[in-house]
């Protein structure tokens, strides 16, 4: 199967990983070409860090194969230790060595590669310049702010010019503003150096901004692997849609008169030929109407100002367990205001009914 | 098919090998000898035959009873002395608090066998007390209360430091909260501070108990005349005096190990179950109250204890060391430096003993430092299978009294079929010191490793460091301050270790402790005390100075 791997910077085949009896990864298949960025996106505990550590060689899989640049690094008969894999990595907690200066931290990968003297100094300086920290080379990492420590970790990851860099939620410890500027900087850096990157995050906007491909993980499996725009337009399952916070997923049933929700008829609306289905209702699929004129109605629960419009959370009157939907409004609405909601059928996205559908 | 995974790190392999040689081998041979009485002749005949006889022996029961009694009495007296001092130190503004701390740390750092010699010089007939006050207290000293008294002066600092630290942190963190919610100072103490401090107190008392049942010098010097035999002295008798009784020694050792292990497990259980010693909370001096009218009585108490524990024995040792002859007594004319010049002139082999002990101390510090760091790494950081076994091996020496280690080493390395053996070389002393003192570096290194995030090592590996390089460049420097403190302690204790040295030192090799012990037995008390004084300077003052420069006074305990 070597041909399969040729040309791929990283490929993982049928990775299973268990800590003792608990299976954390269950049959992961990913491969990514040179120079691309893959985002691993998923809720806490789904196995993102585990997958990254498997690629780095900090763990070895229970079964399955991993190859880097076409070279097998983990398979039943072989295990290449991390120091022989030639990767760069940015850790979630930065993992800067507190007993080494900033420059000492950044110089370490070069030292391990046997690069000494003037060349080492020059490359450390270049790496620190790139992240704008050359003035702080002699400081101790503990005397830096969170964002600066983050940059040191990035400089250390790129200084030895690895072709592949692994990022484990590199921005999750930063506040939102800093995170937004750093996402842009990181994107520029990755493209500028032509890096192949795996980027772990649980923030969907980070993933969608940075990645060429996004792998949405769920409970140890990859639920969907797609380019960002495909992911948003065509989520593969209600779960993926929910995780990406694209909108509300409602369970509908169908009878002769068309679809109905919680016993309230909504009309034909298209959709699959089935007696039940799930539908993704994005904010763009709803229009505000006067109360009492539509089949669907609700009460305003929360109003948030975002960018140029108000994001309004509406609790549906028709749902037995509470169900909210999001809409966007140009005007500020009162809390508790009752409004009607009109469904734009061609903006709905349909899924087959879940097997364990909620009872009603 | 076995899957390829990362090879076991060399650090773990070295740790495992070291632990087997230093800890497992001597312990294993005690067990074997206790079960197979003819092990010494290379025979496994008649298993358990000696065990049954020995365990029913009323003498053994008596000695075990004596050992327990001694431990309990020392615990009670230590608590009586230390707890009031510690509570006063923790909750009130005691003038000169830091000086009292240092004065109470010194007796812990002076080996009890040296202090006991000072007490003998003071309280024996025609001793310093009689010369100054006209009466002697020999009857008190050479009795069970005397033994308990001398040993307590050595052990009470353990309780003092543990309790004052806990009460201080608990007082400032939790008791003040109780006061905000309406408790009076006294109620806050009874309802909050005291219950929260009990685990710390209990754990320190168990440590005192373990120290007391292992102690050799004091019962050996004072107990014989009183006919008071404990397990340690009985074991010593069986391995050093004719007729040698190795099976008997092994069985007594096992009994001692069980007592000691019990105390240790209980201590660990208490600390892990309910430890409120806030590791992050810094004791605050600001919140302390004034002693008011109690200022002078409390100061008098501190001073009395400091004089008894530190002043008197040190002065007696110095006086004896400076006396030309003992019979000359405490007169100006009798004072000179002849004992010190005899030591420095090396007419009695003193310098050689000093050199031997200092080199063994340095070697023991290096070996236990390295082994301690590697084993703590294997237990805390590595994911190696079977690290539970390594954990047990690092804990085991806590329950192995010096005399037991010595017996184990004799049993293991004096087997006739061994082609080469460290027995009868100075190396056997090194093995003994390493086994006895290994717990210190392990404890310090374990605590330090727990504070190091796992990713620091992982990052080094990803950036190209092999397991050994990552250990040397990243982990070792990070635990170095703690490890250094522990190694200093090992050096200090190993250089004057008595019981294992007495038992396993080869013919012709003398250490500081065997030198002092022998001078005392031969009647050259002045020489012995001069040596003791030099030893205290080297092994107590030096580490204290270095440690206080590193800012860890008191944390030693
Ligand atoms: N050493 C371990 N032993 C046992 N289980 C573990 C271990 N490390 C991780 N796990 C479990 O494996 C699962 C996946 O962990 P992992 O760290 O990969 O999650 P993650 O997706 O990175 O989560 P997060 O977003 O919170 O970082 C979790 O359920 C975790 O409890
Ligand atoms: Mg993670």
């Amino acid at each position: 199967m070597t041909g399969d791997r040729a040309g791929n910077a990283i490929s993982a085949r049928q990775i299973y990983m268990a800590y003792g009896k608990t299976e954390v990864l269950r049959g992961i298949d990913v491969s990514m070409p040179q120079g691309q960025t893959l985002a691993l996106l998923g809720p806490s505990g789904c196995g993102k860090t585990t997958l990254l550590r498997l690629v780095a060689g900090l763990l070895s899989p229970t079964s399955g194969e991993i190859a880097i640049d076409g070279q097998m690094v983990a398979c039943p008969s072989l295990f290449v230790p991390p120091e022989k894999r030639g990767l760069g990595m940015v850790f979630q907690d930065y993992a800067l060595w507190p007993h080494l200066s900033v420059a000492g931290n950044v110089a370490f990968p070069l030292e391990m590669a046997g690069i000494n003297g003037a060349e080492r100094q020059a490359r450390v300086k270049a790496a620190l310049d790139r992240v704008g920290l050359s003035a702080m080379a002699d400081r101790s990492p503990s005397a830096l702010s969170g964002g600066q420590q983050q940059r040191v970790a990035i400089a250390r990851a790129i200084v030895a010019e690895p072709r592949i860099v692994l990022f484990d939620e590199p921005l999750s410890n930063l506040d939102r503003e800093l995170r937004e500027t750093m996402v842009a900087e990181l994107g520029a850096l990755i493209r500028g150096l032509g890096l192949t990157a795996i980027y772990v995050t649980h923030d969907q906007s980070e993933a969608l901004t940075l990645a060429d491909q996004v792998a949405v993980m769920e409970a140890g499996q990859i639920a969907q692997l797609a380019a960002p725009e495909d992911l948003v337009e065509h989520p593969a399952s209600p779960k993926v849609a929910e995780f990406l916070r694209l909108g509300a997923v409602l369970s509908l049933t169908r009878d002769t008169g068309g679809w109905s929700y919680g016993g309230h008829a909504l009309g034909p609306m298209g959709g699959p030929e089935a007696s039940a289905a799930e539908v993704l209702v994005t904010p763009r699929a709803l229009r505000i109407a006067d109360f009492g004129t539509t089949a669907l109605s609700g009460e305003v629960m929360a109003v948030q100002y975002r960018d140029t419009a108000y994001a309004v959370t509406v609790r549906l009157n028709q749902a037995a367990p509470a169900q909210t939907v999001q809409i966007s409004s140009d005007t500020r609405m009162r809390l508790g205001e009752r409004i009607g909601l009109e469904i734009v059928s061609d903006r709905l996205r349909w899924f087959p009914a879940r097997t364990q559908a909620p009872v009603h | 098919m076995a899957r390829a995974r990362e090879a076991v790190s060399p650090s773990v392999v070295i740790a495992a090998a070291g632990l087997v040689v230093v800890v497992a081998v001597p312990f294993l041979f005690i067990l074997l000898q206790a079960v197979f009485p003819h092990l010494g002749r290379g025979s496994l005949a008649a298993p358990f035959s000696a065990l049954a006889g020995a365990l029913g022996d009323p003498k053994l029961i008596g000695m075990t009873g004596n050992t327990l009694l001694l431990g309990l009495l020392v615990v009670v007296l230590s608590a009586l002395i230390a707890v009031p001092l510690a509570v006063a130190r923790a909750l009130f503004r005691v003038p000169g608090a830091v000086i009292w701390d240092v004065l109470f740390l010194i007796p812990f750092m002076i080996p009890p066998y040296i202090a006991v010699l000072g007490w003998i010089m003071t309280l024996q007939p025609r001793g310093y007390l009689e010369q100054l006050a006209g009466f002697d207290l020999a009857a008190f000293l050479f009795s069970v209360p005397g033994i308990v008294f001398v040993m307590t002066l050595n052990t009470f600092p353990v309780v003092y430091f543990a309790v004052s630290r806990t009460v201080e942190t608990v007082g400032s963190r939790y008791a003040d909260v109780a006061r905000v919610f309406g408790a009076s100072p006294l109620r806050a103490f009874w309802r909050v501070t005291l219950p929260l401090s009990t685990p710390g107190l209990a754990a320190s008392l168990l440590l005192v108990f373990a120290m007391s049942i292992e102690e050799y010098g004091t019962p050996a010097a004072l107990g014989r005349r009183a006919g008071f035999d404990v397990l340690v002295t009985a074991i010593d008798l069986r391995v050093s005096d004719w007729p040698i009784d190795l099976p008997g020694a092994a069985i007594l050792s096992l009994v001692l190990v069980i007592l000691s292990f019990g105390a240790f497990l209980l201590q660990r259980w208490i600390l892990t179950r309910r430890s409120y010693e806030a590791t992050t909370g810094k004791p605050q001096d600001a919140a302390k109250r004034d002693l008011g009218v109690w200022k002078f009585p409390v100061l008098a108490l501190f001073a009395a204890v400091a004089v008894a524990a530190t002043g008197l024995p040190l002065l007696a040792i110095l006086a004896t060391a400076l006396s030309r002859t003992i019979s000359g007594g405490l007169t100006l004319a009798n004072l000179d430096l002849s004992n010190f010049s005899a030591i420095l002139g090396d007419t009695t082999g003193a310098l050689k003993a000093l050199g031997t002990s200092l080199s063994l101390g340095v070697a023991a510090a290096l070996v236990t430092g390295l082994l301690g760091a590697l084993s703590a790494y294997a237990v805390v950081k590595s994911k190696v299978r079977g690290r539970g076994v390594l954990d047990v091996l690092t804990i085991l020496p806590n329950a192995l009294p010096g005399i037991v280690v010595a017996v184990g080493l004799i049993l293991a390395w004096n087997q006739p079929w061994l082609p080469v053996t460290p027995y009868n070389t100075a190396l056997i002393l090194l093995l003994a010191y390493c086994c006895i003192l290994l717990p210190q570096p392990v404890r310090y290194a374990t605590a330090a490793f727990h504070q190091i995030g796992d990713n620091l090592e992982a990052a080094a590996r990803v950036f190209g460091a092999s397991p050994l390089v990552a250990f040397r460049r990243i982990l070792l420097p990070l635990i170095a301050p703690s490890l250094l403190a522990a190694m200093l302690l090992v050096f200090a204790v190993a250089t004057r270790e008595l019981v294992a040295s007495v038992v396993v030192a080869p013919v012709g090799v003398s250490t500081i402790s065997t030198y002092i012990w022998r001078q005392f037995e031969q009647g050259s008390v002045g020489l012995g005390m001069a040596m003791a004084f030099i030893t205290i300077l080297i092994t107590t003052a030096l580490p204290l100075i270095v440690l206080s420069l590193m800012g860890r006074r008191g944390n030693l305990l």
Side-chain angles (χ1 to χ4, degrees):
Chain A
M1 298 286 281
T2 334
D4 210 32
R5 293 194 302 266
N8 278 333
I10 298 174
S11 83
R13 236 167 48 84
Q14 281 303 301
I15 299 292
Y16 284 81
M17 176 70 201
Y19 290 110
K21 285 241 174 320
T22 45
E23 279 210 322
V24 175
L25 295 181
R26 300 178 292 151
I28 299 280
D29 276 297
V30 211
S31 58
M32 50 186 304
Q34 296 281 355
Q36 285 218 343
T37 300
L38 170 76
L40 292 179
L41 181 63
S44 185
C46 69
K48 307 180 297 286
T49 298
T50 305
L51 182 54
L52 207 64
R53 293 175 78 88
L54 285 169
V55 173
L58 295 167
L59 290 172
S60 70
T62 315
S63 70
E65 297 175 352
I66 301 173
I68 293 177
D69 280 338
Q71 298 282 320
M72 193 60 82
V73 293
C75 68
S77 56
L78 175 83
F79 179 81
V80 178
E83 64 269 23
K84 301 266 160 55
R85 297 193 183 189
L87 306 172
M89 184 160 178
V90 177
F91 289 80
Q92 183 163 0
D93 56 359
Y94 313 146
L96 299 178
W97 300 302
H99 62 302
L100 301 178
S101 67
V102 166
N105 267 279
V106 177
F108 190 90
L110 299 175
E111 197 184 327
M112 292 300 123
I115 296 165
N116 294 309
E119 188 187 349
R120 184 157 93 203
Q121 277 184 1
R123 284 174 67 174
V124 168
K125 187 170 179 318
L128 284 174
D129 271 339
R130 204 173 254 287
V131 295
L133 279 183
S134 42
M136 305 190 177
D138 296 325
R139 283 215 206 162
S140 151
S142 55
L144 299 181
S145 72
Q148 289 166 335
Q149 293 185 6
Q150 178 58 57
R151 287 161 201 263
V152 177
I154 292 170
R156 183 176 66 176
I158 59 169
V159 69
E161 295 173 10
R163 272 179 302 169
I164 301 172
V165 179
L166 312 175
F167 296 88
D168 190 0
E169 306 202 27
L171 306 182
S172 63
N173 286 334
L174 305 179
D175 58 56
R176 204 179 74 199
E177 234 168 281
L178 193 53
R179 206 153 63 210
E180 277 162 12
T181 47
M182 287 297 286
V183 168
E185 278 183 36
L186 262 182
L189 189 77
I190 292 171
R191 276 189 302 279
L193 293 171
L195 294 175
T196 306
I198 300 186
Y199 189 97
V200 168
T201 177
H202 58 244
D203 180 312
Q204 76 274 19
S205 76
E206 253 174 54
L208 299 179
T209 315
L210 276 173
D212 299 299
Q213 294 276 312
V214 179
V216 181
M217 286 182 68
E218 199 217 310
Q221 288 177 315
I222 292 184
Q224 187 173 10
L225 175 61
E229 54 279 12
D230 285 346
L231 207 58
V232 174
E233 294 301 323
H234 309 289
S237 70
K239 276 244 165 121
V240 172
E242 271 171 353
F243 182 72
L244 293 173
R245 293 211 223 129
L246 298 176
V249 177
L250 308 181
S251 313
L252 305 187
T253 49
R254 188 189 189 112
D255 52 31
T256 46
W259 294 99
S260 61
Y261 176 63
H264 299 263
L266 300 176
M269 299 199 304
E273 293 298 327
S275 64
E278 308 253 330
V279 69
L280 167 65
V281 184
T282 60
R284 288 180 352 135
L286 290 174
R287 262 202 297 265
I288 299 173
D290 290 335
F291 184 70
T293 62
T294 55
L296 210 55
S297 64
E299 195 176 302
V300 174
M301 298 291 298
V303 180
Q304 249 186 323
Y305 185 72
R306 273 217 202 111
D307 303 327
T308 54
Y310 293 94
V312 182
T313 307
V314 180
R315 187 174 68 206
L316 296 181
N317 291 333
Q318 284 74 13
Q323 168 74 54
T324 59
V325 294
Q326 301 275 338
I327 49 170
S328 165
S329 159
D330 293 334
T331 56
R332 192 187 165 96
M333 309 188 86
R334 274 184 300 108
L335 288 186
E337 189 174 342
R338 285 143 61 93
I339 55 172
L341 294 166
E342 195 179 308
I343 296 177
V344 187
S345 340
D346 56 351
R347 287 187 181 157
L348 293 176
R349 198 169 149 66
W350 294 89
F351 302 103
R354 279 183 241 201
T355 35
Q356 307 134 309
V359 270
H360 65 86
Chain B
M1 189 183 71
R3 237 192 114 76
R5 33 182 74 243
E6 173 144 45
V8 175
S9 156
S11 346
V12 177
V13 176
I14 300 171
L19 286 174
V20 165
V21 173
V22 170
V23 180
V25 165
F27 181 66
L28 198 67
F29 271 85
I30 299 242
L31 287 180
L32 288 176
Q33 177 72 71
V35 174
F36 305 106
H38 304 301
L39 188 70
R41 278 181 264 134
S43 151
L44 299 186
F48 296 103
S49 59
L51 205 58
L55 289 182
D57 184 0
K59 258 170 62 194
L60 173 83
I61 295 166
M63 287 177 305
T64 310
N66 284 350
T67 305
L68 287 173
L69 178 72
L70 182 63
L72 282 179
L73 289 176
V74 173
V75 163
V76 170
L77 194 58
S78 293
L80 283 179
I81 294 179
V83 172
L85 292 176
V87 171
R89 165 77 172 88
L91 298 182
F92 295 93
R93 230 170 284 128
V94 178
V98 177
I99 297 173
W100 298 123
D101 280 355
V102 173
L103 285 178
F104 291 164
L105 191 55
I106 291 174
F108 178 73
M109 302 285 290
I110 299 177
Y113 71 90
I114 291 183
V116 82
L117 299 183
W119 281 105
I120 293 177
M121 297 312 296
T122 311
L123 299 187
Q124 70 184 354
R126 291 187 306 284
Y128 298 128
L129 184 67
E130 190 175 345
Q131 292 178 39
L132 294 172
F135 65 98
D136 74 82
L137 287 175
F140 163 71
L141 184 63
F142 294 99
S143 71
V144 177
I147 299 175
V148 171
F149 171 73
V150 174
M151 279 169 60
T152 298
L153 291 182
N154 171 244
T155 52
F156 86 91
V158 175
V159 184
Y160 170 79
F161 284 110
V163 173
S164 68
R165 225 182 359 239
T166 339
V167 170
E168 199 162 3
T169 27
V170 166
S172 62
R173 288 191 113 206
Y174 301 103
D176 287 356
V177 178
R179 302 211 40 208
V180 171
F181 290 108
S184 69
L186 203 63
R187 270 182 84 93
F189 180 77
W190 280 112
R191 292 292 311 281
V192 178
T193 309
L194 205 61
L196 287 181
S197 309
T198 351
L201 171 66
S204 68
L205 291 180
L206 281 164
L207 187 59
V208 167
F209 179 80
M211 286 167 70
S212 317
I213 62 175
E214 295 179 16
E215 167 65 5
Y216 168 78
T218 320
L222 302 178
R224 286 219 177 117
R225 261 196 246 177
F228 185 73
D229 265 327
V230 290
L231 287 168
V232 179
T233 51
I235 296 170
D236 174 43
L237 201 67
R238 277 165 181 68
V239 291
S240 344
D241 274 0
W242 199 254
I244 304 263
D245 174 14
L246 289 181
I251 292 165
L252 293 185
S253 297
L254 222 49
V255 175
L256 192 55
V257 168
I258 290 167
L259 294 183
S260 173
F261 204 50
F264 176 75
L265 286 184
L266 202 56
Q267 182 202 0
R268 237 166 86 122
W269 179 72
I270 289 174
L271 282 182
T272 48
R273 196 181 57 114
R274 275 183 84 181
S275 175
Y276 298 101
E277 229 171 308
T279 44
T280 48
K282 272 210 181 106
Q284 293 150 352
D285 284 325
K288 292 188 179 178
R289 281 174 281 280
D290 238 17
L291 279 165
V293 290
W294 288 97
K295 186 164 165 185
F296 287 102
V298 167
L299 275 184
L301 188 65
F302 272 86
V305 174
V307 165
T310 309
L312 273 179
L314 277 183
L315 282 177
I317 291 165
L318 191 60
T320 315
L322 290 173
S323 300
R324 193 175 318 133
T325 62
I326 299 304
S327 50
L330 273 180
T331 59
L332 217 51
N334 194 28
L335 291 186
D336 70 3
L337 292 173
S338 60
N339 286 321
F340 286 100
S341 53
I343 298 256
L344 297 180
D346 204 18
T347 49
T348 54
L351 280 189
K352 191 151 168 270
L354 210 58
T356 307
S357 277
L358 291 180
S359 356
L360 282 171
V362 170
L366 292 175
V367 173
T368 54
L370 185 69
L371 186 54
L374 291 175
S375 340
Y377 167 81
V379 171
V380 177
K381 290 286 171 189
S382 80
K383 306 272 178 288
V384 172
R385 232 176 288 165
R387 66 181 188 281
V389 178
L390 296 186
D391 195 18
V392 170
L393 284 181
T394 56
I395 290 170
L396 192 59
N398 284 295
L400 294 184
I403 186 89
V404 174
V405 171
V407 171
L409 287 173
I410 295 177
L411 294 173
W413 298 110
N414 200 18
Q415 297 289 334
W417 48 267
L418 284 175
V420 283
T421 169
Y423 198 71
N424 269 329
T425 69
L427 213 55
I428 194 87
L429 285 170
L430 182 61
L431 279 177
Y433 298 162
C434 287
C435 183
I436 293 170
L437 293 166
L438 187 63
Q440 303 300 333
V442 168
R443 197 153 54 94
Y444 279 60
T446 304
F449 275 128
H450 275 302
Q451 308 208 321
I452 299 177
D454 286 342
N455 277 345
L456 292 185
E457 187 191 9
R461 296 295 306 281
V462 169
F463 293 119
S466 69
L468 269 185
V469 171
F471 186 83
R472 185 169 54 79
R473 288 294 313 277
I474 305 298
L475 294 176
L476 206 52
L478 287 174
I479 63 162
S482 301
L483 196 61
L484 222 60
M487 287 166 69
L488 213 55
L489 197 65
V490 169
F491 166 79
V493 179
T495 41
R496 80 271 170 117
E497 199 282 339
L498 175 68
V499 56
S501 317
V502 166
V503 175
V504 299
V507 185
V509 175
S510 68
T511 65
I512 288 179
S513 55
T514 61
Y515 178 88
I516 297 175
W517 205 240
R518 195 151 20 83
Q519 298 310 314
F520 204 74
E521 282 178 345
Q522 291 171 357
S524 327
V525 185
L527 269 183
M529 291 294 103
M531 183 68 142
F533 194 76
I534 294 174
T535 308
I536 291 174
L537 276 189
I538 296 176
T539 68
T540 304
L542 192 71
L544 273 185
I545 291 169
V546 177
L547 288 178
S548 63
L549 288 182
M550 291 169 66
R552 343 173 114 249
R553 160 196 57 91
N555 290 7
L556 257 182
L557 299 183

